[in-house]
Amino acid sequence: MSTKVLIIGGGYAGVEAALTLNKLKKKKKQDIDITLVDRNDYHTLLTELHEVAANRIAEDGIIIPFDRIFKYTDVKYITDEITSYDFEGKKVSSDSRTLEYDYLIMAMGSKPNYYGIEGLDEHAFTLWSYDDAIRIRENIYNCFKLARQEEDAAERRRLLTFVVAGAGFTGIEMIGEIAVWVKKLCKDYCIDKSEVRLIVIDMLPRILSVLSEKNSKKAHDFLVKKLDVEIILNSSVCDVSEKGFSTGKEFIPTATLIWACGVCAVDAVNQFDIEKVNGKRLKVDDFCETKHKGVFAVGDISGFKGEKDIPYPAMVENAIQTAHGVAVNIVNDLTGKEREKVEVKMHGVMVCIGNNYAVSDIMGREFGRVMSVVMKYMVNIHYLWEITGFYGVAKYIYHEVLENKSRKNMIEQHYSVRNQTWWLVPGRIFLGAIWLYEGIKKIGDGWLKSAKLNGFFGGADSFYEKYPNPSSGWDGVSGATGAGGGGTEVIDAAENVLLNWDWGWIQFIAVKANEIAFKIDFYPMTWIKDNFLLANNGTQMFFQWFVVLAEIIVGLCLIGGAFNFIASGFSIVLLVSFLMTTGLYMQSQWWMLFLSFALMAGAGRAFGLDHYIIPYLNNFWERIWKSKKWSPVFKRALDRYNKD
Ligand SMILES: Cc1cc2nc3c(=O)[nH]c(=O)nc-3n(C[C@H](O)[C@H](O)[C@H](O)COP(=O)(O)OP(=O)(O)OC[C@H]3O[C@@H](n4cnc5c(N)ncnc54)[C@H](O)[C@@H]3O)c2cc1C
């Protein structure tokens, strides 16, 4: 009979537990029935909530449907909210169902801790869920809409005061993001930026106390000097009302107070007879097991302690590693192996302030601004690759880079302009037809029968004889291309050398013949040509076959829109190699190079086979990678990759 493992919560910990169990059950050939229950049908990238709250990216950018994550795995997921727990009877229930288990992994996460401060629950915003992020975003929009028409100066000021309580990484990332967004909002709503007040308040004497003092100061200065944020330290929030809040020293009127001052375990823990440690987190042993046998707590809800005898911080690394450890131990139990102590290694913290500033302390090292920003992106990409493969990474890059809505610099504004791919279809088919024609024509010219390259490139010699002095001639060029053919014709008809720039390794030459032709003599390439391509008849034949086949295959791929990115890339490679061996005609061939670049932007997805091939390959890869089952045709393989 199969062993039932039930996971409650599909956050970082729950997903990691499910995927690890899925992998191990196959590897160790165990009959495990894995079920994950979450109140939502998607996984939320909580660490990116502030980007949605301050409108940098669309809300779609921070959620990944479970359907996508568990596709091709044996994990079943149920959308429901568990409300009661019977550890003795080994079952949990929601309003509509009861689920039994042999092992229970609790990964329900945490919630904001109000520390009993009056009025917070009713009047402050929290940033701990997808819905929270949207609520904050809509409120900020609304404040600007109302402020624009508000005639009372004090009320206008209140509406334009945005406060984040808590100067930890969540609070600082939030205020940094708002600071960037309000610049755009001020423009859109015709409000002078000086009217907006941005505040961070914290009880501690410095911001980002998890980072080194140096990094904390760098972040502090950036917020104050570059983003006009007021930082109020050594102060706490009290008496929160609809109108604002008090710091004990002054009353700050605001319509937007975002509470980011620490977390505690979700309310469900109140009904458990399990001892709680810091922040109501559940006491667990070295294996993350609670006092109930087979009941584990992982991630934010778990009070798993390290060597220093304090629970690990409520962070992603802790969530993933505790979940991984528990999954391994469940399989160890089933295979009769001894359990391993769960190990958590925290590597550090990265804090992004706005879209292009970050500070980080990683493994005891402080990284600079650029490296910190890059690391933040890389960490997210790595995580998404692990849980969703190409789909999640593509979606992330799409939202962060192409669809980034926050104040963009001029370059970003230009590269994020998008177009419908079908406009490229005529160009794709035409370029494909030209390549196909060139390949077939070469067969007709006998390229597959006898060595011709030497004569083709060597035709340049006659030109060289005509212009022996490099400053007045074209050193070793025929002016012909593999695509265009007829090289010697150009040489014979050549009238003028228009340009002859020699920069040592690279020589750039333009000649006017019956057409203007360009050639770049890149000396390493010339060396390869002389010593390899033209070495003997055999090598010449090899490359002639290669060029003919490449032209035909590239042509067919472009016409059919199959593997368009690779085919367009190869078209560029062919043209560049012609440019460096024989030269390219200005009127009849350079367009091919530039069109090839344009086609790389997904031209095969519209009216082309890539519409089916790319999702198929993505699914194929996921299938192999996630379930290690080989099957050339499988369920849902033709789903569009961005169906969700
Ligand atoms: C704005 C923000 C920024 C952050 N930035 C960072 C950062 O930069 N670096 C970092 O390391 N950490 C960061 N964190 C903390 C990190 O997100 C958490 O530590 C992590 O999400 C914990 O993972 P988890 O799986 O334990 O819980 P969660 O990710 O919170 O997942 C819990 C899941 O359980 C589900 N659930 C809860 N109760 C029930 C129930 N009764 N029934 C069914 N489902 C239920 C929820 O819907 C949720 O999907 C940030 C958090 C926030 C909010």
Side-chain angles (χ1 to χ4, degrees):
M1 217 175 71
S2 63
T3 307
K4 287 188 191 135
V5 179
L6 180 65
I7 302 163
I8 310 176
Y12 294 88
V15 166
E16 172 68 21
L19 290 179
T20 308
L21 274 170
N22 182 67
K23 262 187 203 157
L24 291 177
K25 78 171 246 186
K26 299 219 159 83
K27 198 167 161 198
K28 308 277 178 185
K29 300 196 173 31
Q30 292 300 309
D31 187 8
I32 308 177
D33 178 59
I34 311 161
T35 306
L36 183 143
V37 194
D38 196 292
R39 58 164 79 99
N40 302 309
D41 62 355
Y42 53 79
H43 168 69
T44 310
L45 299 175
L46 281 190
T47 60
E48 310 309 303
L49 283 184
H50 55 282
E51 297 192 2
V52 170
N55 202 40
R56 174 162 19 149
I57 60 169
E59 54 265 41
D60 179 42
I62 55 161
I63 56 172
I64 304 162
F66 287 126
D67 200 19
R68 193 76 223 183
I69 298 174
F70 299 128
K71 197 167 158 184
Y72 308 130
T73 68
D74 294 342
V75 178
K76 286 178 231 143
Y77 82 85
I78 296 172
T79 307
D80 212 337
E81 177 156 359
I82 300 301
T83 46
S84 75
Y85 301 76
D86 174 2
F87 299 130
E88 297 306 320
K90 289 189 172 285
K91 56 184 187 235
V92 297
S93 314
S94 70
D95 290 347
S96 57
R97 75 190 86 209
T98 295
L99 297 163
E100 293 182 348
Y101 61 81
D102 297 308
Y103 288 94
L104 176 67
I105 303 179
M106 295 196 287
M108 291 96 84
S110 48
K111 62 163 210 153
N113 194 344
Y114 293 131
Y115 303 104
I117 298 170
E118 232 170 82
L120 263 182
D121 198 4
E122 301 94 299
H123 303 297
F125 292 89
T126 53
L127 184 62
W128 210 261
S129 70
Y130 171 80
D131 294 333
D132 286 350
I134 291 174
R135 257 195 299 272
I136 292 175
R137 184 185 69 189
E138 296 314 305
N139 172 70
I140 296 177
Y141 264 130
N142 205 32
C143 285
F144 271 83
K145 273 186 213 154
L146 294 174
R148 183 189 202 182
Q149 60 204 29
E150 180 57 61
E151 284 168 12
D152 178 74
E155 178 59 6
R156 190 171 154 103
R157 185 85 174 136
R158 187 181 82 87
L159 288 167
L160 293 174
T161 299
F162 302 96
V163 185
V164 174
F169 53 83
T170 309
I172 293 300
E173 290 195 325
M174 186 67 250
I175 197 73
E177 212 64 58
I178 296 178
V180 172
W181 189 28
V182 293
K183 292 184 184 173
K184 182 169 186 301
L185 286 169
C186 284
K187 266 195 203 157
D188 292 351
Y189 290 91
C190 305
I191 288 172
D192 195 293
K193 172 73 187 36
S194 62
E195 286 191 68
V196 175
R197 197 173 168 204
L198 301 171
I199 301 172
V200 173
I201 177 166
D202 200 293
M203 278 174 74
L204 295 175
R206 69 176 172 98
I207 67 164
L208 294 174
S209 52
V210 286
L211 296 185
S212 66
E213 279 201 30
K214 190 174 150 208
N215 263 336
S216 158
K217 173 147 184 9
K218 268 164 59 181
H220 186 118
D221 289 349
F222 183 78
L223 283 165
V224 173
K225 293 179 187 155
K226 301 281 180 198
L227 299 179
D228 299 326
V229 174
E230 283 173 51
I231 299 180
I232 304 175
L233 297 171
N234 301 306
S235 303
S236 52
V237 169
C238 51
D239 298 332
V240 182
S241 71
E242 203 187 335
K243 294 285 167 204
F245 67 94
S246 168
T247 65
K249 294 175 205 131
E250 60 169 329
F251 183 80
I252 298 182
T254 179
T256 312
L257 169 64
I258 300 170
W259 185 249
C261 286
V263 293
C264 58
V266 286
D267 289 339
V269 299
N270 296 334
Q271 55 175 301
F272 302 162
D273 61 342
I274 301 171
E275 196 184 327
K276 319 287 182 310
V277 292
N278 312 39
K280 294 201 287 178
R281 293 163 80 180
L282 300 174
K283 187 173 177 190
V284 291
D285 62 13
D286 287 347
F287 311 105
C288 283
E289 195 170 28
T290 64
K291 70 175 200 180
H292 297 282
K293 202 168 166 359
V295 177
F296 298 87
V298 293
D300 283 7
I301 199 176
S302 167
F304 183 62
K305 291 178 177 177
E307 279 165 12
K308 290 183 190 152
D309 207 33
I310 45 166
Y312 283 102
M315 290 178 73
V316 172
E317 281 198 300
N318 171 51
I320 290 179
Q321 293 175 44
T322 48
H324 185 88
V326 165
V328 169
N329 278 333
I330 289 177
V331 177
N332 282 345
D333 280 2
L334 299 179
T335 50
K337 269 180 77 181
E338 209 175 308
R339 284 188 182 176
E340 299 160 19
K341 275 190 179 180
V342 174
E343 271 193 36
V344 173
K345 286 201 181 89
M346 303 294 288
H347 291 92
V349 178
M350 283 159 279
V351 183
C352 269
I353 307 175
N355 37 354
N356 51 25
Y357 188 89
V359 284
S360 61
D361 282 357
I362 296 165
M363 296 198 282
R365 285 189 60 192
E366 292 164 11
F367 286 90
R369 173 185 181 156
V370 176
M371 202 52 202
S372 302
V373 173
V374 171
M375 297 269 274
K376 174 99 183 174
Y377 283 118
M378 294 317 289
V379 165
N380 283 334
I381 286 175
H382 177 256
Y383 175 68
L384 290 166
W385 178 259
E386 288 290 312
I387 64 164
T388 58
F390 175 75
Y391 164 84
V393 175
K395 190 173 163 191
Y396 179 71
I397 293 174
Y398 171 78
H399 282 286
E400 290 289 333
V401 182
L402 297 179
E403 273 297 281
N404 183 335
K405 298 195 223 170
S406 78
R407 203 169 54 103
K408 292 175 180 166
N409 64 37
M410 213 170 68
I411 295 170
E412 285 173 318
Q413 283 173 17
H414 283 277
Y415 75 63
S416 56
V417 173
R418 284 184 300 131
N419 205 344
Q420 297 285 352
T421 348
W422 58 265
W423 286 105
L424 295 168
V425 173
R428 189 194 81 214
I429 295 173
F430 186 63
L431 181 65
I434 294 283
W435 277 123
L436 188 61
Y437 167 77
E438 289 295 341
I440 293 171
K441 185 167 170 288
K442 283 191 181 62
I443 297 175
D445 291 345
W447 272 54
L448 303 186
K449 291 192 183 130
S450 59
K452 291 191 179 297
L453 277 189
N454 199 16
F456 206 65
F457 296 152
D461 293 346
S462 62
F463 187 81
Y464 186 63
E465 278 161 22
K466 199 168 169 184
Y467 299 100
N469 177 352
S471 64
S472 65
W474 186 340
D475 184 11
V477 67
S478 68
T481 77
T488 47
E489 187 192 319
V490 175
I491 292 160
D492 294 342
E495 290 157 10
N496 293 309
V497 172
L498 303 176
L499 289 172
N500 185 355
W501 292 330
D502 194 343
W503 297 295
W505 274 40
I506 298 181
Q507 189 177 10
F508 181 81
I509 310 150
V511 66
K512 185 171 183 320
N514 51 357
E515 266 188 38
I516 294 175
F518 290 92
K519 184 189 178 216
I520 293 173
D521 255 337
F522 179 52
Y523 289 112
M525 184 68 189
T526 312
W527 185 88
I528 292 171
K529 187 185 79 183
D530 294 341
N531 295 286
F532 200 47
L533 267 69
L534 305 180
N536 54 50
N537 279 0
T539 56
Q540 284 187 52
M541 283 306 293
F542 174 79
F543 281 102
Q544 283 173 213
W545 269 86
F546 177 76
V547 168
V548 169
L549 285 180
E551 289 185 353
I552 291 175
I553 292 170
V554 166
L556 289 174
C557 284
L558 289 176
I559 292 170
F563 304 103
N564 169 80
F565 189 82
I566 299 172
S568 309
F570 212 83
S571 170
I572 293 170
V573 170
L574 283 173
L575 290 161
V576 169
S577 65
F578 297 158
L579 177 68
M580 292 197 289
T581 49
T582 59
L584 279 191
Y585 291 119
M586 183 70 188
Q587 281 138 314
S588 55
Q589 283 159 342
W590 275 81
W591 66 269
M592 295 171 75
L593 190 59
F594 297 116
L595 180 59
S596 302
F597 275 110
L599 295 183
M600 290 180 96
R605 299 276 177 91
F607 302 106
L609 292 171
D610 277 353
H611 186 79
Y612 306 102
I613 292 174
I614 300 299
Y616 182 90
L617 288 180
N618 185 38
N619 296 340
F620 187 69
W621 158 249
E622 275 184 21
R623 169 82 167 186
I624 293 168
W625 167 70
K626 281 192 180 159
S627 67
K628 308 260 189 276
K629 268 189 203 155
W630 178 268
S631 149
V633 179
F634 44 83
K635 203 177 131 206
R636 301 184 51 191
L638 291 175
D639 282 0
R640 292 288 298 127
Y641 78 103
N642 59 355
K643 167 179 161 283
D644 320 285

